[in-house]
Short mmCIF file of all heavy atoms in Angstrom, two decimals:
data_model
loop_
_atom_site.label_atom_id
_atom_site.label_comp_id
_atom_site.label_asym_id
_atom_site.label_seq_id
_atom_site.Cartn_x
_atom_site.Cartn_y
_atom_site.Cartn_z
N ASP A 1 49.44 -119.27 -84.97
CA ASP A 1 49.25 -120.68 -85.15
C ASP A 1 49.66 -121.47 -83.95
O ASP A 1 50.88 -121.67 -83.70
CB ASP A 1 50.05 -121.10 -86.41
CG ASP A 1 49.76 -122.51 -86.84
OD1 ASP A 1 48.82 -123.17 -86.25
OD2 ASP A 1 50.36 -122.98 -87.82
N ILE A 2 48.70 -121.80 -83.14
CA ILE A 2 49.02 -122.62 -81.90
C ILE A 2 47.94 -123.65 -81.72
O ILE A 2 46.86 -123.61 -82.52
CB ILE A 2 49.01 -121.59 -80.65
CG1 ILE A 2 47.85 -120.73 -80.64
CG2 ILE A 2 50.24 -120.79 -80.70
CD1 ILE A 2 46.71 -121.28 -79.69
N PRO A 3 48.12 -124.71 -80.87
CA PRO A 3 47.17 -125.76 -80.72
C PRO A 3 45.84 -125.24 -80.23
O PRO A 3 45.65 -124.18 -79.64
CB PRO A 3 47.79 -126.70 -79.69
CG PRO A 3 49.27 -126.35 -79.70
CD PRO A 3 49.37 -124.87 -80.03
N VAL A 4 44.79 -126.06 -80.59
CA VAL A 4 43.38 -125.71 -80.23
C VAL A 4 43.18 -126.33 -78.79
O VAL A 4 43.27 -127.53 -78.65
CB VAL A 4 42.34 -126.32 -81.25
CG1 VAL A 4 40.90 -126.04 -80.72
CG2 VAL A 4 42.65 -125.73 -82.54
N ALA A 5 42.75 -125.50 -77.86
CA ALA A 5 42.44 -125.94 -76.50
C ALA A 5 41.02 -126.46 -76.44
O ALA A 5 40.04 -125.83 -77.06
CB ALA A 5 42.71 -124.80 -75.51
N LEU A 6 40.77 -127.62 -75.86
CA LEU A 6 39.55 -128.16 -75.70
C LEU A 6 38.92 -128.22 -74.28
O LEU A 6 37.68 -127.99 -74.10
CB LEU A 6 39.49 -129.61 -76.24
CG LEU A 6 39.99 -129.76 -77.66
CD1 LEU A 6 40.03 -131.27 -78.06
CD2 LEU A 6 39.13 -129.03 -78.63
N ALA A 7 39.77 -128.40 -73.29
CA ALA A 7 39.34 -128.44 -71.91
C ALA A 7 40.42 -128.35 -70.97
O ALA A 7 41.58 -128.64 -71.33
CB ALA A 7 38.52 -129.74 -71.70
N TRP A 8 40.06 -127.91 -69.71
CA TRP A 8 41.11 -128.00 -68.66
C TRP A 8 40.31 -128.11 -67.36
O TRP A 8 39.16 -127.93 -67.29
CB TRP A 8 41.93 -126.70 -68.62
CG TRP A 8 41.32 -125.54 -67.92
CD1 TRP A 8 40.28 -124.74 -68.41
CD2 TRP A 8 41.51 -125.12 -66.60
NE1 TRP A 8 39.94 -123.87 -67.42
CE2 TRP A 8 40.63 -124.06 -66.35
CE3 TRP A 8 42.42 -125.45 -65.57
CZ2 TRP A 8 40.66 -123.38 -65.10
CZ3 TRP A 8 42.38 -124.78 -64.34
CH2 TRP A 8 41.55 -123.68 -64.19
N GLY A 9 41.09 -128.52 -66.34
CA GLY A 9 40.46 -128.63 -64.94
C GLY A 9 41.55 -128.72 -63.96
O GLY A 9 42.67 -129.07 -64.19
N TRP A 10 41.12 -128.44 -62.70
CA TRP A 10 42.03 -128.64 -61.58
C TRP A 10 41.30 -129.08 -60.29
O TRP A 10 40.13 -128.96 -60.23
CB TRP A 10 42.93 -127.44 -61.29
CG TRP A 10 42.31 -126.21 -60.85
CD1 TRP A 10 40.96 -125.99 -60.37
CD2 TRP A 10 42.84 -124.87 -60.79
NE1 TRP A 10 40.75 -124.67 -60.05
CE2 TRP A 10 41.92 -124.04 -60.29
CE3 TRP A 10 44.15 -124.41 -61.16
CZ2 TRP A 10 42.17 -122.65 -60.15
CZ3 TRP A 10 44.42 -123.08 -60.95
CH2 TRP A 10 43.44 -122.19 -60.50
N GLN A 11 42.07 -129.65 -59.44
CA GLN A 11 41.62 -130.01 -58.11
C GLN A 11 42.37 -129.11 -57.10
O GLN A 11 43.58 -128.97 -57.18
CB GLN A 11 41.97 -131.44 -57.77
CG GLN A 11 41.61 -131.82 -56.38
CD GLN A 11 42.45 -133.03 -55.89
OE1 GLN A 11 43.59 -133.16 -56.13
NE2 GLN A 11 41.73 -134.05 -55.22
N ARG A 12 41.62 -128.40 -56.25
CA ARG A 12 42.27 -127.47 -55.37
C ARG A 12 41.97 -128.00 -53.83
O ARG A 12 40.90 -128.53 -53.56
CB ARG A 12 41.72 -126.05 -55.41
CG ARG A 12 42.10 -125.40 -56.70
CD ARG A 12 41.73 -123.95 -56.74
NE ARG A 12 40.30 -123.80 -56.63
CZ ARG A 12 39.71 -122.64 -56.39
NH1 ARG A 12 40.32 -121.56 -56.18
NH2 ARG A 12 38.38 -122.63 -56.24
N ARG A 13 42.88 -127.86 -52.98
CA ARG A 13 42.77 -128.11 -51.57
C ARG A 13 43.09 -126.86 -50.81
O ARG A 13 44.14 -126.27 -50.93
CB ARG A 13 43.72 -129.25 -51.15
CG ARG A 13 43.41 -130.64 -51.78
CD ARG A 13 44.28 -131.69 -51.39
NE ARG A 13 43.98 -132.95 -51.98
CZ ARG A 13 44.74 -134.06 -52.08
NH1 ARG A 13 46.01 -133.94 -51.55
NH2 ARG A 13 44.44 -135.08 -52.69
N PHE A 14 42.05 -126.42 -50.06
CA PHE A 14 42.15 -125.21 -49.25
C PHE A 14 42.56 -124.04 -50.17
O PHE A 14 43.42 -123.16 -49.77
CB PHE A 14 43.09 -125.43 -48.08
CG PHE A 14 42.69 -126.48 -47.15
CD1 PHE A 14 43.28 -127.74 -47.21
CD2 PHE A 14 41.63 -126.21 -46.26
CE1 PHE A 14 42.80 -128.75 -46.33
CE2 PHE A 14 41.20 -127.22 -45.39
CZ PHE A 14 41.84 -128.46 -45.43
N GLY A 15 42.01 -124.04 -51.35
CA GLY A 15 42.29 -122.91 -52.33
C GLY A 15 43.58 -123.05 -53.14
O GLY A 15 43.76 -122.22 -54.07
N VAL A 16 44.34 -124.01 -52.93
CA VAL A 16 45.59 -124.15 -53.66
C VAL A 16 45.61 -125.32 -54.58
O VAL A 16 45.19 -126.48 -54.28
CB VAL A 16 46.78 -124.38 -52.66
CG1 VAL A 16 48.11 -124.65 -53.39
CG2 VAL A 16 46.87 -123.32 -51.66
N PRO A 17 45.86 -125.08 -56.00
CA PRO A 17 45.79 -126.22 -56.91
C PRO A 17 46.88 -127.32 -56.59
O PRO A 17 47.97 -127.02 -56.26
CB PRO A 17 46.24 -125.54 -58.18
CG PRO A 17 45.95 -124.03 -57.98
CD PRO A 17 46.21 -123.82 -56.53
N VAL A 18 46.42 -128.55 -56.71
CA VAL A 18 47.20 -129.76 -56.44
C VAL A 18 47.39 -130.57 -57.69
O VAL A 18 48.47 -130.93 -58.02
CB VAL A 18 46.58 -130.59 -55.33
CG1 VAL A 18 47.45 -131.88 -55.14
CG2 VAL A 18 46.47 -129.81 -54.02
N ARG A 19 46.30 -130.78 -58.38
CA ARG A 19 46.33 -131.60 -59.63
C ARG A 19 45.67 -130.77 -60.74
O ARG A 19 44.59 -130.16 -60.43
CB ARG A 19 45.71 -132.95 -59.49
CG ARG A 19 46.32 -133.81 -58.48
CD ARG A 19 45.67 -135.24 -58.50
NE ARG A 19 44.29 -135.23 -58.03
CZ ARG A 19 43.41 -136.26 -58.27
NH1 ARG A 19 43.84 -137.33 -58.89
NH2 ARG A 19 42.23 -136.20 -57.93
N SER A 20 46.09 -130.83 -61.96
CA SER A 20 45.42 -130.15 -63.08
C SER A 20 45.68 -130.83 -64.38
O SER A 20 46.67 -131.61 -64.55
CB SER A 20 45.93 -128.75 -63.10
OG SER A 20 47.44 -128.66 -63.15
N PHE A 21 44.82 -130.69 -65.31
CA PHE A 21 44.88 -131.31 -66.65
C PHE A 21 44.53 -130.36 -67.72
O PHE A 21 43.78 -129.34 -67.52
CB PHE A 21 44.15 -132.59 -66.79
CG PHE A 21 42.66 -132.30 -66.95
CD1 PHE A 21 42.12 -132.19 -68.23
CD2 PHE A 21 41.78 -132.22 -65.91
CE1 PHE A 21 40.73 -132.02 -68.45
CE2 PHE A 21 40.40 -132.02 -66.12
CZ PHE A 21 39.86 -131.79 -67.39
N LEU A 22 45.03 -130.60 -68.93
CA LEU A 22 44.68 -129.86 -70.11
C LEU A 22 44.51 -130.75 -71.35
O LEU A 22 45.34 -131.67 -71.53
CB LEU A 22 45.77 -128.78 -70.38
CG LEU A 22 45.69 -128.05 -71.74
CD1 LEU A 22 44.58 -127.00 -71.70
CD2 LEU A 22 47.09 -127.24 -72.01
N VAL A 23 43.51 -130.55 -72.17
CA VAL A 23 43.24 -131.34 -73.35
C VAL A 23 43.31 -130.35 -74.57
O VAL A 23 42.65 -129.30 -74.56
CB VAL A 23 41.94 -132.00 -73.34
CG1 VAL A 23 41.74 -132.84 -74.58
CG2 VAL A 23 41.70 -132.89 -72.07
N GLN A 24 44.05 -130.73 -75.50
CA GLN A 24 44.21 -129.93 -76.73
C GLN A 24 44.36 -130.83 -77.94
O GLN A 24 44.62 -132.00 -77.75
CB GLN A 24 45.33 -128.92 -76.63
CG GLN A 24 46.65 -129.52 -76.51
CD GLN A 24 47.77 -128.62 -76.12
OE1 GLN A 24 47.52 -127.76 -75.27
NE2 GLN A 24 48.90 -128.67 -76.82
N ARG A 25 44.08 -130.24 -79.13
CA ARG A 25 44.31 -131.02 -80.32
C ARG A 25 45.73 -131.20 -80.63
O ARG A 25 46.58 -130.28 -80.44
CB ARG A 25 43.57 -130.47 -81.53
CG ARG A 25 42.04 -130.43 -81.32
CD ARG A 25 41.34 -130.52 -82.65
NE ARG A 25 39.84 -130.71 -82.43
CZ ARG A 25 39.27 -131.85 -82.10
NH1 ARG A 25 39.99 -132.97 -82.05
NH2 ARG A 25 37.91 -131.88 -81.91
N THR A 26 46.11 -132.30 -81.21
CA THR A 26 47.53 -132.52 -81.70
C THR A 26 47.80 -131.81 -82.99
O THR A 26 46.92 -131.33 -83.58
CB THR A 26 47.79 -134.11 -81.87
OG1 THR A 26 46.85 -134.58 -82.88
CG2 THR A 26 47.69 -134.82 -80.54
N ILE A 27 49.06 -131.75 -83.30
CA ILE A 27 49.51 -131.18 -84.62
C ILE A 27 49.75 -132.35 -85.48
O ILE A 27 50.79 -133.09 -85.40
CB ILE A 27 50.78 -130.40 -84.41
CG1 ILE A 27 50.60 -129.34 -83.26
CG2 ILE A 27 51.13 -129.71 -85.77
CD1 ILE A 27 49.52 -128.30 -83.53
N PRO A 28 48.84 -132.72 -86.38
CA PRO A 28 49.00 -133.94 -87.19
C PRO A 28 50.33 -134.00 -88.01
O PRO A 28 50.63 -132.98 -88.77
CB PRO A 28 47.76 -133.83 -88.19
CG PRO A 28 46.78 -132.97 -87.49
CD PRO A 28 47.60 -132.01 -86.81
N GLY A 29 51.10 -135.00 -87.71
CA GLY A 29 52.33 -135.13 -88.43
C GLY A 29 53.49 -134.29 -87.93
O GLY A 29 54.58 -134.25 -88.53
N GLY A 30 53.20 -133.43 -86.84
CA GLY A 30 54.23 -132.52 -86.47
C GLY A 30 55.28 -133.17 -85.55
O GLY A 30 55.06 -134.13 -84.90
N VAL A 31 56.45 -132.59 -85.64
CA VAL A 31 57.62 -132.98 -84.76
C VAL A 31 58.16 -131.77 -84.14
O VAL A 31 58.14 -130.71 -84.79
CB VAL A 31 58.68 -133.84 -85.49
CG1 VAL A 31 58.13 -135.13 -86.04
CG2 VAL A 31 59.29 -132.94 -86.63
N ASP A 32 58.71 -131.88 -82.99
CA ASP A 32 59.37 -130.74 -82.33
C ASP A 32 60.60 -130.31 -83.06
O ASP A 32 61.22 -131.22 -83.75
CB ASP A 32 59.52 -130.84 -80.85
CG ASP A 32 60.56 -131.88 -80.39
OD1 ASP A 32 61.64 -131.84 -80.92
OD2 ASP A 32 60.15 -132.74 -79.66
N LEU A 33 60.98 -129.09 -82.99
CA LEU A 33 62.22 -128.64 -83.74
C LEU A 33 63.41 -129.37 -83.44
O LEU A 33 64.31 -129.58 -84.23
CB LEU A 33 62.34 -127.07 -83.46
CG LEU A 33 63.48 -126.44 -84.25
CD1 LEU A 33 63.23 -126.59 -85.72
CD2 LEU A 33 63.52 -124.95 -83.89
N ALA A 34 63.60 -129.85 -82.14
CA ALA A 34 64.70 -130.62 -81.77
C ALA A 34 64.87 -131.90 -82.54
O ALA A 34 65.87 -132.28 -83.05
CB ALA A 34 64.76 -130.84 -80.29
N GLU A 35 63.77 -132.59 -82.65
CA GLU A 35 63.66 -133.89 -83.38
C GLU A 35 63.89 -133.51 -84.91
O GLU A 35 64.49 -134.36 -85.57
CB GLU A 35 62.29 -134.55 -83.22
CG GLU A 35 62.16 -135.86 -83.79
CD GLU A 35 63.11 -136.95 -83.34
OE1 GLU A 35 63.61 -136.77 -82.11
OE2 GLU A 35 63.36 -137.87 -83.97
N TYR A 36 63.33 -132.50 -85.42
CA TYR A 36 63.45 -132.04 -86.82
C TYR A 36 64.94 -131.86 -87.12
O TYR A 36 65.45 -132.37 -88.09
CB TYR A 36 62.66 -130.82 -87.16
CG TYR A 36 62.88 -130.29 -88.55
CD1 TYR A 36 62.08 -130.87 -89.56
CD2 TYR A 36 63.87 -129.43 -88.77
CE1 TYR A 36 62.32 -130.43 -90.87
CE2 TYR A 36 64.09 -129.01 -90.07
CZ TYR A 36 63.33 -129.50 -91.11
OH TYR A 36 63.54 -129.09 -92.40
N ILE A 37 65.70 -131.21 -86.22
CA ILE A 37 67.08 -131.03 -86.47
C ILE A 37 67.84 -132.26 -86.60
O ILE A 37 68.75 -132.52 -87.33
CB ILE A 37 67.69 -130.05 -85.36
CG1 ILE A 37 67.03 -128.63 -85.54
CG2 ILE A 37 69.17 -129.99 -85.47
CD1 ILE A 37 67.31 -127.71 -84.29
N ARG A 38 67.47 -133.25 -85.71
CA ARG A 38 68.17 -134.53 -85.74
C ARG A 38 67.86 -135.32 -86.95
O ARG A 38 68.67 -136.04 -87.51
CB ARG A 38 67.79 -135.29 -84.44
CG ARG A 38 68.35 -134.88 -83.15
CD ARG A 38 68.13 -135.84 -82.10
NE ARG A 38 66.74 -135.86 -81.65
CZ ARG A 38 66.26 -135.07 -80.65
NH1 ARG A 38 67.04 -134.23 -80.00
NH2 ARG A 38 65.06 -135.14 -80.33
N ARG A 39 66.56 -135.17 -87.47
CA ARG A 39 66.20 -136.01 -88.62
C ARG A 39 66.52 -135.48 -89.91
O ARG A 39 66.99 -136.16 -90.84
CB ARG A 39 64.68 -136.26 -88.51
CG ARG A 39 64.24 -137.16 -87.45
CD ARG A 39 62.69 -137.34 -87.59
NE ARG A 39 62.07 -137.94 -86.47
CZ ARG A 39 60.77 -138.25 -86.41
NH1 ARG A 39 60.01 -137.84 -87.37
NH2 ARG A 39 60.26 -138.88 -85.38
N ALA A 40 66.31 -134.19 -90.11
CA ALA A 40 66.33 -133.53 -91.47
C ALA A 40 67.79 -133.49 -91.93
O ALA A 40 68.64 -133.09 -91.14
CB ALA A 40 65.75 -132.21 -91.48
N THR A 41 68.01 -133.76 -93.18
CA THR A 41 69.42 -133.72 -93.81
C THR A 41 69.43 -132.82 -94.96
O THR A 41 70.59 -132.37 -95.32
CB THR A 41 69.81 -135.16 -94.25
OG1 THR A 41 68.89 -135.66 -95.12
CG2 THR A 41 69.96 -136.09 -93.09
N ASP A 42 68.41 -132.40 -95.58
CA ASP A 42 68.38 -131.56 -96.75
C ASP A 42 68.64 -130.11 -96.30
O ASP A 42 67.89 -129.53 -95.57
CB ASP A 42 67.04 -131.62 -97.53
CG ASP A 42 67.04 -130.77 -98.79
OD1 ASP A 42 67.54 -131.30 -99.82
OD2 ASP A 42 66.65 -129.63 -98.68
N ARG A 43 69.77 -129.51 -96.79
CA ARG A 43 70.14 -128.23 -96.40
C ARG A 43 69.10 -127.16 -96.69
O ARG A 43 68.83 -126.27 -95.82
CB ARG A 43 71.49 -127.85 -97.12
CG ARG A 43 71.96 -126.40 -96.83
CD ARG A 43 73.30 -126.15 -97.44
NE ARG A 43 73.69 -124.69 -97.40
CZ ARG A 43 73.35 -123.79 -98.18
NH1 ARG A 43 72.58 -124.12 -99.28
NH2 ARG A 43 73.70 -122.55 -98.08
#
């Protein structure tokens, strides 16, 4: 269970990547575990 990748790309200069991007789908309503630990109170 991992995010869905949609696209990526990069710009290279003399064969070396300089800038790059990645597009993927979000996790609806998801929070990272660090934030979950801070928020959740029910044992």
Side-chain angles (χ1 to χ4, degrees):
D1 190 2
I2 49 97
V4 177
L6 302 179
W8 82 284
W10 66 13
Q11 174 202 44
R12 292 186 300 167
R13 292 178 182 165
F14 300 101
V16 178
V18 177
R19 299 186 295 165
S20 50
F21 78 87
L22 172 68
V23 183
Q24 60 192 48
R25 294 213 174 276
T26 57
I27 310 300
V31 296
D32 66 54
L33 183 59
E35 184 65 21
Y36 176 86
I37 292 170
R38 286 191 289 270
R39 291 184 187 179
T41 57
D42 183 87
R43 174 177 174 272

